Amino acid sequence: MTSMLAADSSVARNDLDDALWWRQASVYQIYPRSFADANGDGIGDLKGVTSRVPYLKALGIDAVWLSPFYPSALADGGYDVDDYRDVDPKIGTLEDFDEMTAALHQAGIKVIVDIVPNHSSDRHTWFLEAVAAGRGSAARERYIFRDGKGEHGELPPNNWTAIFGGSSWQRITEPDGTPGQWYFHLFAPEQPDFNWKNPEVHADFETTLRFWSDRGVDGFRIDVAHGLTKNLDPAFDHLKSVLSGQDLFEDGQHPIWDRDEVHDIYAEWRKIFNEYTPPRIAVAEAWVEPHRRARYASSEGLGQSFNFDLLQADFRAADFRKIIGDNLAFAADSGASTTWVFSNHDVVRHATRYGLQRTGAQDEAQIMNVGGKQWLLDGGRQDEVDTELGLRRAKAATQLMLALPGSAYLYQGEELGLQEVGEEIADEHRQDPAFFRNKGVEIGRDGCRVPLPWESQGSSYGFGAGGSHLPQPQWFSRYAVDAQEQDPASTLSFYRRAMALRHELQSAEELAWEASPNEHVLHFSRPGGWHSITNFGTTPVALPEGELLLASAPLEDGLLPANATAWLRA
Ligand code: GLC
Ligand code: CA
């Protein structure tokens, strides 16, 4: 696997390097409402991000990805967008956005924003127009409206269940006050799906991509990238679990997921990305069969695609090795680099996942998008999580990830070793629609979205001068930034050191597996003599010759202990 630097010799080397900045970037995900609150109203804001740019710079990241900050009623944490080309007044203004972008750029940090093209919110002007304009109108053609079944249209067009539970169809009241048509929503009822067969929808998203690109945004994370185009032919009505993504078709003809024609959209978008210098980048959130990632990641498409395989894996050497090998090969097929990630705003934090008593705890039901968190309800109580073991393994896994070729995604708070907040969030404080619409089955994703502790004392632990929109447990104090900054043995100091070394050592996108003392140890090297060794086993192992650069846990008598990673220069 060599990088594509040689691909076009007519372009100056510097431009090329810049155009390829994403290939091995480390990207830090900010969930804006929970990062930092500058005006003390309990909700994180863009000025809060700006005020923490020095912190982000010290962490050594290359880019931030901001989850949606657009006007929203927050029916789904901002993934229900009222207006794609504005900032939610609850968290700032476009001027604040420009200021933030300038400050990040000044610090050498790129900016990636989240585009949510599968659905808008039900407060979007277009949706309001669609309801008001009535049956058969052009305005309704921007969404997916159908007449219901039954004598009076009182039954949904089919029995499909939405991802957040309940029917995937919602009935509206027509302008004349009578019960009316039904609209389709993959997620919550407040998130009506767009009709991507409509050219107006295409044109509007192109305007949005240009709007943010013109404002200096460096790239986009594309939400539910594999779901935009649909075939709602009644022939598929019998497929009950069609929305869960469990039964993906591999032929590109599934009624919802990963249809071949979705790539026509991304081919259009690629032309827009390439109008800019350097070209804007994009990364697909596409939960598809691994071998079908290449098309999302192609240089004629979005350019890169998330790979959630490590996030879904057990902490086991053989599993990690296979996933790494497979994904480097898939990436090579697409010409892109791969991405790695352990935590994000949709899953249980990895410091908690890895602390579950059962080693096989990482099955799909427990960590996936919204199917997750069951363990908190039926798998055990929070006090059954071994937080020490969890953090130890999380650090080992992250250090391994940071040595891999490709780009690494970090989620706010993982650099503090933060644990998931579990049952301490009372039902009346919960926000996630997955909790409300699927009560008793899912606890939802609020536990990884609790505002960050910046200070060990004081209101909302330094999140802001006021409260916190999701309650922070007392133990957050122990994880606060101010305490960790002073402590060379803290998780934060470990992350900073690892990121600095990654910058220094990262070179060509190549990896070679090295012999290891036993099957529970993974050892690989990168060009230039950078070695990464992880002990997934239970007994300490000897390290090869070389200069020790960093270890995720102290060596024991010169040996690498269980659940730890070491980097050597050899
Ligand atoms: C993606 C987001 C998730 C959101 C969903 C619907 O999976 O990551 O947070 O709920 O899309 O937009
Ligand atoms: Ca605020």
Side-chain angles (χ1 to χ4, degrees):
M1 258 143 300
T2 45
S3 81
M4 302 197 327
L5 277 175
D8 183 355
S9 53
S10 66
V11 185
R13 167 82 190 211
N14 271 350
D15 288 354
L16 255 184
D17 280 349
D18 205 21
L20 299 177
W21 67 266
W22 50 275
R23 292 192 69 94
Q24 304 212 68
S26 39
V27 184
Y28 180 87
Q29 182 190 355
I30 292 182
Y31 193 74
R33 290 174 183 83
S34 300
F35 185 67
D37 173 19
N39 66 355
D41 65 356
I43 303 172
D45 41 45
L46 297 187
K47 279 194 187 309
V49 177
T50 308
S51 74
R52 297 297 180 179
V53 169
Y55 173 81
L56 296 169
K57 190 176 162 78
L59 189 54
I61 53 167
D62 301 301
V64 292
W65 147 35
L66 294 134
S67 276
F69 47 79
Y70 315 111
S72 169
L74 305 181
D76 181 21
Y79 285 88
D80 47 320
V81 179
D82 297 349
D83 179 351
Y84 291 88
R85 302 191 280 274
D86 205 350
V87 172
D88 191 337
K90 295 190 281 301
I91 71 175
T93 61
L94 279 171
E95 288 67 45
D96 295 343
F97 180 86
D98 292 341
E99 227 174 81
M100 177 195 73
T101 304
L104 285 163
H105 283 165
Q106 184 68 36
I109 299 169
K110 311 255 195 224
V111 179
I112 297 173
V113 302
D114 215 312
I115 296 291
V116 189
N118 181 68
H119 45 265
S120 69
S121 80
D122 61 350
R123 310 195 313 171
H124 191 286
T125 332
W126 273 8
F127 191 75
L128 300 176
E129 272 174 36
V131 173
R135 253 193 192 82
S137 61
R140 274 200 194 172
E141 278 303 303
R142 296 174 182 139
Y143 294 90
I144 304 171
F145 280 87
R146 295 274 189 283
D147 291 330
K149 286 191 172 154
E151 209 179 323
H152 307 288
E154 70 280 10
L155 299 172
N158 67 25
N159 290 329
W160 291 358
T161 317
I163 290 175
F164 294 148
S167 171
S168 63
W169 297 93
Q170 178 81 10
R171 196 170 196 190
I172 60 155
T173 303
E174 297 295 341
D176 65 5
T178 59
Q181 285 196 298
W182 299 73
Y183 66 86
F184 182 76
H185 58 90
L186 270 177
F187 295 90
E190 294 88 351
Q191 295 167 293
D193 283 39
F194 281 117
N195 169 18
W196 274 93
K197 293 191 175 126
N198 187 330
E200 277 188 84
V201 174
H202 290 242
D204 196 64
F205 274 93
E206 289 170 17
T207 306
T208 295
L209 294 173
R210 286 205 171 86
F211 178 87
W212 294 108
S213 297
D214 290 341
R215 280 201 119 81
V217 152
D218 304 281
F220 302 95
R221 178 256 188 195
I222 310 301
D223 190 61
V224 204
H226 57 315
L228 273 46
T229 54
K230 298 172 180 89
N231 178 1
L232 298 189
D233 191 293
F236 294 111
D237 285 358
H238 66 284
L239 292 170
K240 287 247 168 62
S241 63
V242 74
L243 302 188
S244 71
Q246 303 289 333
D247 46 13
L248 283 170
F249 298 180
E250 297 194 25
D251 62 358
Q253 295 306 317
H254 187 280
I256 306 283
W257 302 121
D258 193 26
R259 294 178 59 75
D260 286 338
E261 73 230 26
V262 79
H263 297 288
D264 298 346
I265 301 172
Y266 304 134
E268 294 168 6
W269 290 10
R270 171 51 53 190
K271 289 186 202 136
I272 297 174
F273 300 150
N274 287 351
E275 286 167 13
Y276 294 86
T277 313
R280 299 321 188 220
I281 70 137
V283 55
E285 185 214 19
W287 297 78
V288 300
E289 293 295 326
H291 69 273
R292 289 185 55 93
R293 275 182 211 133
R295 284 189 73 186
Y296 295 87
S298 116
S299 59
E300 274 121 53
L302 292 176
Q304 221 182 13
S305 180
F306 275 117
N307 131 39
F308 296 109
D309 297 353
L310 278 186
L311 181 155
Q312 296 177 83
D314 284 344
F315 188 78
R316 262 203 302 258
D319 300 15
F320 270 55
R321 179 167 177 152
K322 175 163 181 6
I323 288 169
I324 292 166
D326 286 354
N327 280 288
L328 292 177
F330 296 141
D333 281 353
S334 67
S337 60
T338 190
T339 62
W340 306 105
V341 59
F342 285 111
S343 281
N344 63 34
H345 67 298
D346 289 332
V347 300
V348 176
R349 285 185 177 278
H350 64 301
T352 302
R353 289 196 322 257
Y354 286 144
L356 293 168
Q357 299 297 345
R358 299 190 289 136
T359 37
Q362 323 302 323
D363 65 55
E364 205 167 323
Q366 283 164 325
I367 53 153
M368 281 286 289
N369 224 356
V370 263
K373 321 226 170 177
Q374 251 140 348
W375 60 274
L376 283 171
L377 288 175
D378 63 30
R381 302 182 54 82
Q382 187 155 32
D383 53 16
E384 289 172 8
V385 178
D386 182 341
T387 52
E388 209 177 304
L389 175 68
L391 178 57
R392 192 180 164 102
R393 286 182 171 168
K395 287 169 70 180
T398 299
Q399 192 179 335
L400 176 156
M401 167 178 89
L402 292 175
L404 292 173
S407 44
Y409 279 76
L410 307 174
Y411 176 55
Q412 69 177 38
E414 70 167 81
E415 76 280 17
L416 306 176
L418 262 193
Q419 296 281 333
E420 186 83 1
V421 184
E423 291 154 330
E424 289 140 309
I425 306 178
D427 287 7
E428 68 263 30
H429 290 133
R430 294 211 169 260
Q431 299 175 6
D432 186 356
F435 173 76
F436 294 107
R437 294 185 54 80
N438 233 339
K439 249 190 171 145
V441 181
E442 284 168 8
I443 196 165
R445 300 161 294 179
D446 296 314
C448 61
R449 301 174 178 183
V450 176
L452 292 191
W454 293 92
E455 293 162 15
S456 29
Q457 310 281 326
S459 69
S460 63
Y461 301 111
F463 168 61
S468 153
H469 68 100
L470 275 170
Q472 300 157 302
Q474 271 178 9
W475 52 261
F476 258 39
S477 165
R478 286 207 303 277
Y479 293 85
V481 173
D482 65 350
Q484 295 204 35
E485 276 188 317
Q486 314 305 322
D487 177 5
S490 70
T491 306
L492 179 59
S493 300
F494 162 77
Y495 263 76
R496 286 182 176 170
R497 181 87 190 108
M499 296 291 286
L501 282 167
R502 173 180 161 94
H503 263 274
E504 189 185 315
L505 301 169
Q506 194 73 273
S507 58
E509 292 169 37
E510 285 163 24
L511 173 153
W513 293 107
E514 306 281 347
S516 64
N518 68 54
E519 58 180 345
H520 303 298
V521 177
L522 286 190
H523 178 181
F524 60 84
S525 64
R526 300 284 305 274
W530 179 15
H531 288 249
S532 180
I533 301 118
T534 302
N535 185 358
F536 291 84
T538 51
T539 47
V541 294
L543 286 168
E545 290 289 295
E547 174 201 354
L548 179 67
L549 302 171
L550 180 69
S552 64
L555 299 194
E556 291 169 7
D557 300 326
L559 301 177
L560 181 66
N563 304 309
T565 294
W567 286 349
L568 304 180
R569 199 183 334 240

